[in-house]
Amino acid sequence: MKCPTEPLTQLRCDQILDVAEGLIESQGIVSFKFSQIAKDVGCSTGTLYKLFERKEDVLVCLFLRSATSNYMPLFVEKNPELTAQERLLLPILFTFETIKRSKSFFTLRSVSVNAMIWKLASDNKVKMFKQRINSFWQWLTDAVNLAIENGELEATPLQAKELVQGITFYLTGSLTQFESKLISSEFLSDQSTTCYRHLSRLMAQYNWRTPLTQELFSSLESRTASFFHKNYKKHLTCRACKDLSDSLDAAGRGYSGCSNC
């Protein structure tokens, strides 16, 4: 099922997703129902099914419109002086900032990578989901390659790929532990400081012209928080999500390959 293009229908989608997000936060992913969404929005279930074929479509769309990759191009546009190293750090800091503002995003992010969830969504939603996941990885890869081209980093192609994987795997593990709320605070240090220390050690394994410093990390973290404070809500829309998908398609980054990719 394709995303709507008419402004009024896009607004209706936003209303539905806002309600669905609230239900997930209060009831969890398993318990929320289509009928309750329709009741809270004030529409029929028939209207709901015209926009979302199934429950999994709603979950995927909630993830897509909050995805950190939605915001990174805008941040770079506003901050063209960013180094490649700073661009490499953006996906991590943006993910942390998104989770601060959306209680459901961590849950959606964790559940959405489960093939039992996204494979049940309609074909177009699956395509968009793969597209957005891969655009996140592509952003990191492009930042590393840019650092190599600019002379900020000396690395072989294999080292570049390993660095991207290391950063992504660190982010996944960090979010799982810090956001699960299962770990007692006595076992955890400050999240921001821990993030910097782990990333600086990871990146220090590679030959950077300028090492990652606490000052650089804290400055970028502060700028990221300020950017999200000003821009998060107004870009949390179906229209913004679709515009990014269209731009990725136009750039040849649709990632519509095999169903197991």
Side-chain angles (χ1 to χ4, degrees):
M1 180 173 287
K2 293 187 178 296
C3 295
T5 56
E6 295 296 324
L8 288 177
T9 313
Q10 288 176 337
L11 286 174
R12 174 61 87 181
C13 270
D14 287 331
Q15 292 175 333
I16 291 169
L17 292 175
D18 287 342
V19 167
E21 185 171 27
L23 290 174
I24 289 172
E25 290 179 4
S26 62
Q27 301 177 12
I29 284 180
V30 175
S31 300
F32 88 98
K33 295 179 173 58
F34 255 30
S35 57
Q36 187 62 48
I37 295 176
K39 179 180 178 182
D40 290 356
V41 171
C43 69
S44 66
T45 54
T47 298
L48 205 58
Y49 279 109
K50 288 180 181 178
L51 296 171
F52 303 94
E53 286 185 20
R54 56 202 69 152
K55 182 176 178 178
E56 287 75 20
D57 279 4
V58 174
L59 296 178
V60 169
C61 281
L62 281 171
F63 171 86
L64 289 174
R65 74 170 189 163
S66 295
T68 54
S69 54
N70 296 4
Y71 300 90
M72 292 186 292
L74 179 62
F75 187 83
V76 170
E77 182 182 322
K78 292 178 178 292
N79 299 275
E81 76 289 350
L82 288 172
T83 65
Q85 186 183 72
E86 289 173 319
R87 292 186 185 212
L88 184 61
L89 297 173
L90 282 185
I92 298 170
L93 297 177
F94 273 43
T95 300
F96 287 144
E97 286 298 325
T98 301
I99 288 174
K100 287 179 186 177
R101 289 162 174 77
S102 172
K103 294 178 182 178
S104 64
F105 184 68
F106 168 68
T107 304
L108 291 165
R109 188 180 185 279
S110 301
V111 173
S112 62
V113 296
N114 184 334
M116 293 301 293
I117 296 294
W118 62 260
K119 280 190 175 182
L120 293 174
S122 57
D123 290 345
N124 191 61
K125 303 303 183 192
V126 169
K127 176 190 172 185
M128 292 176 67
F129 176 75
K130 289 180 182 178
Q131 178 192 66
R132 208 61 57 85
I133 291 294
N134 281 282
S135 70
F136 186 89
W137 281 76
Q138 188 67 55
W139 180 281
L140 293 168
T141 300
D142 288 347
V144 170
N145 289 337
L146 180 62
I148 294 171
E149 292 171 13
N150 291 348
E152 295 179 47
L153 171 67
E154 290 183 16
T156 66
L158 177 59
Q159 288 173 326
K161 184 173 288 188
E162 289 176 342
L163 176 56
V164 170
Q165 290 176 166
I167 289 175
T168 305
F169 295 164
Y170 164 75
L171 177 61
T172 301
S174 175
L175 290 174
T176 299
Q177 300 309 318
F178 277 105
E179 302 298 332
S180 69
K181 309 304 180 186
L182 287 171
I183 314 301
S184 173
S185 59
E186 66 181 290
F187 300 117
L188 298 174
S189 55
D190 173 70
Q191 185 173 358
S192 176
T193 303
T194 300
C195 180
Y196 161 70
R197 290 183 183 277
H198 280 269
L199 286 175
S200 62
R201 288 172 187 154
L202 171 64
M203 294 175 69
Q205 298 176 48
Y206 302 87
N207 191 16
W208 289 90
R209 184 177 64 198
T210 303
L212 176 61
T213 65
Q214 177 74 71
E215 181 181 11
L216 184 152
F217 183 84
S218 298
S219 173
L220 189 59
E221 188 177 41
S222 176
R223 292 161 69 189
T224 297
S226 176
F227 170 83
F228 265 75
H229 179 71
K230 296 176 181 176
N231 295 281
Y232 178 68
K233 281 293 184 183
K234 64 183 179 182
H235 286 277
L236 193 67
T237 65
C238 288
R239 179 177 178 178
C241 176
K242 187 179 185 304
D243 286 347
L244 178 60
S245 292
D246 289 344
S247 68
L248 290 172
D249 276 334
R253 292 182 176 176
Y255 301 103
S256 56
C258 70
S259 60
N260 294 322
C261 294

